[in-house]
Amino acid sequence: MSLADLTATELLSKYRDGSLSPVEVIEDVLARIEELEPRICATYALDPEGARAAARESERRWRDGSAGRLDGVPTTVKENIATRGTPVPQGTAATELVPATEDAPAAARLREAGAVIFCKTTMPEYGMLSSGVSTFHHLTRNPWDLSKTPGGSSAGAAAAAAAGYGPLHIGTDIGGSIRLPAGWCGVVGIKPTHGRVAVGNPYPGRAIGPLARTAADAALALSVMSGYDPRDHTSLPTIDDTYTEELTVQGLRVALLLDSGLGLPVDPEVTAAVSSAAAVLEKGGAIVEPIEPIITREMLDGLDRFWRVRSAADIAALPEDRRAKVLPEIRQWVSTAGDLSGFDVFHGYSQMGAMAAAVTEVFRSYDVILSPVAPITAFRAELAYPTDDPSKPFEHIAFTVPYNMSAHPATTVNVGWSASGLPIGAQLAVPHHQDLTALGLAAYLDTERREWPTA
């Protein structure tokens, strides 16, 4: 196995016993990127020399006994999470490139723990697409099939995780932007409880979380990043939640949501894979019960209207020359914002609360909600939206967006493959502050995969 494919927990063990050095590992990761990046295009602001210098410093800390919790672990950070000295283009050529003056809270926590942040990762236009389409970055592609999207908006993070650009990759999520690409790239991704990781620029539904090849690595990164930061008034103190792969599912009350009730129809292959995951939990002693759709068309359409007006206001504030650089599909989407009344916008905003109430009601009866991450497998890379229709941009997020609005943690795990070889992800949503429990369930499903029924 290449050093680039080792997990964070494996690397830390080898650093600890002296059998491996961070300097060796970063060279292997950089070689992997040099080989694959011309086709995948997942990185932004790659800094090989800075990475080598950071790895040497980490090697020194391991020698003198001052290593941190992630010391020497290669880590990427999504480009909209500020890192000192690097501009934050937000995936669009319309942004003025001004270097960030400081690390955002999550990046600062990682650096304090000794992580080697060697590059940023790509995102689509303003993070408003579930694809890798951007007017600033090259088109990011799915490592499993280069003709397909990795998903978005944490496009580069998911692609980098799947391609083995080191073990840890940090993304953001406001409607599914960690979980959708994680599902489509076959990796673990978690949108944590709102406030668990300080964002720095908080907004309703916005969260920062890790993508990794294992749940244990995601749990480690999440625990390092979590905690209060005065730059984010919504951030929470560090929460006492223990990660374990030894949890029991006996008696676990599982709500099985196979139909979101709106948007794109669920592909039969997706239904079969998630149903197989439910059967694994049931075999372990969980009580699995199908449930009706959680959210309504009114809720999703209302959110669309509110987000459209919010984005229209941001774009209207740009100088005309920069406004013209915004992706045409985004400009087309916001072009109807002026047709909406104040009542329409307020009603749209209120649907975030309606979604939160609907999800919370389910958790009165169940311990976990199991569903697909997306109704379909990865779509064509060049498309901004799976519908290829800017007037219908959110027809694929009905399984993911409710937990942004309700602030519940939700994680993904690969549960199968399509006939064409594309990953299929399942989503596990749990009550507030049980983030590491969700990751433990993901690890349980992953461990039990060899005994799964054939779909």
Side-chain angles (χ1 to χ4, degrees):
M1 176 184 284
S2 167
L3 299 182
D5 294 318
L6 293 176
T7 67
T9 54
E10 289 170 334
L11 289 176
L12 291 169
S13 176
K14 291 179 182 298
Y15 295 160
R16 198 171 291 115
D17 68 19
S19 62
L20 195 60
S21 161
V23 175
E24 299 171 84
V25 174
I26 199 63
E27 287 300 337
D28 219 42
V29 170
L30 292 172
R32 173 71 59 83
I33 292 171
E34 185 177 9
E35 176 191 358
L36 299 181
E37 186 59 4
R39 300 189 295 279
I40 295 174
C41 300
T43 65
Y44 161 64
L46 177 64
D47 181 11
E49 291 313 308
R52 292 182 175 107
R56 289 192 295 271
E57 283 298 304
S58 176
E59 184 181 61
R60 178 190 59 76
R61 288 191 295 271
W62 280 106
R63 282 199 306 264
D64 66 23
S66 62
R69 292 178 65 194
L70 288 178
D71 227 299
V73 176
T75 304
T76 73
V77 176
K78 187 175 176 182
E79 62 105 310
N80 64 339
I81 301 171
T83 52
R84 185 167 54 86
T86 304
V88 183
Q90 300 183 77
T92 177
T95 300
E96 187 177 3
L97 297 180
V98 178
T101 57
E102 63 179 359
D103 285 344
R109 292 283 173 91
L110 292 165
R111 233 188 272 277
E112 289 163 7
V116 176
I117 300 175
F118 63 95
C119 79
K120 310 294 287 290
T121 51
T122 60
M123 62 182 282
E125 202 84 0
Y126 287 116
M128 289 305 298
L129 308 175
S130 296
S131 68
V133 176
S134 165
T135 55
F136 181 84
H137 301 293
H138 292 296
L139 178 63
T140 307
R141 297 179 179 273
N142 193 316
W144 295 103
D145 181 341
L146 296 176
S147 72
K148 304 297 184 183
T149 184
S153 63
S154 301
Y165 291 9
L168 298 181
H169 308 273
I170 312 304
T172 66
D173 191 316
I174 198 171
S177 289
I178 288 172
R179 291 156 291 154
L180 288 164
W184 284 327
C185 287
V187 299
V188 174
I190 182 167
K191 181 211 78 67
T193 300
H194 187 89
R196 178 148 197 169
V197 178
V199 174
N201 53 340
Y203 197 83
R206 183 177 289 153
I208 290 176
L211 299 92
R213 294 191 299 280
T214 68
D217 277 5
L220 176 60
L222 182 59
S223 64
V224 166
M225 292 188 293
S226 67
Y228 176 74
D229 189 288
R231 290 173 286 179
D232 181 352
H233 64 274
T234 69
S235 61
L236 302 171
T238 301
I239 299 163
D240 185 16
D241 185 10
T242 303
Y243 172 77
T244 177
E245 296 181 6
E246 305 301 321
L247 83 174
T248 177
V249 299
Q250 180 71 40
L252 191 74
R253 298 168 300 167
V254 179
L256 178 60
L257 179 65
L258 292 176
D259 178 10
S260 66
L262 67 159
L264 296 175
V266 182
D267 188 294
E269 289 184 305
V270 173
T271 298
V274 177
S275 297
S276 292
V280 170
L281 294 176
E282 201 162 34
K283 183 179 178 181
I287 302 162
V288 179
E289 297 177 355
I291 62 168
E292 295 297 311
I294 296 175
I295 67 169
T296 65
R297 183 84 250 175
E298 181 182 15
M299 293 177 191
L300 189 62
D301 286 350
L303 186 67
D304 179 354
R305 294 187 186 102
F306 175 71
W307 278 354
R308 205 179 330 159
V309 170
R310 182 202 69 180
S311 296
D314 290 342
I315 292 170
L318 297 173
E320 185 175 351
D321 61 327
R322 285 165 53 197
R323 195 159 59 240
K325 296 178 180 179
V326 174
L327 189 75
E329 288 89 341
I330 295 288
R331 284 189 277 126
Q332 185 177 340
W333 174 56
V334 303
S335 66
T336 56
D339 300 334
L340 300 172
S341 67
F343 174 85
D344 293 328
V345 178
F346 175 78
H347 180 71
Y349 181 83
S350 72
Q351 296 312 296
M352 291 192 286
M355 283 191 196
V359 172
T360 301
E361 182 63 27
V362 177
F363 282 122
R364 292 182 63 182
S365 302
Y366 295 97
D367 303 308
V368 59
I369 303 171
L370 172 65
S371 74
V373 181
I376 58 173
T377 53
F379 55 95
R380 191 154 56 87
E382 292 80 8
L383 297 182
Y385 312 99
T387 58
D388 197 22
D389 183 352
S391 70
K392 297 179 179 179
F394 301 136
E395 298 302 293
H396 59 293
I397 68 171
F399 287 113
T400 53
V401 73
Y403 308 112
N404 294 87
M405 301 303 106
S406 69
H408 287 92
T411 193
T412 70
V413 62
N414 180 251
V415 293
W417 302 85
S418 71
S420 60
L422 292 171
I424 298 173
Q427 177 176 238
L428 296 153
V430 296
H432 293 130
H433 313 306
Q434 294 184 21
D435 308 61
L436 300 187
T437 299
L439 287 167
L441 287 169
Y444 177 90
L445 284 175
D446 194 43
T447 300
E448 297 295 319
R449 185 188 307 188
R450 62 185 177 275
E451 299 179 9
W452 288 6
T454 302

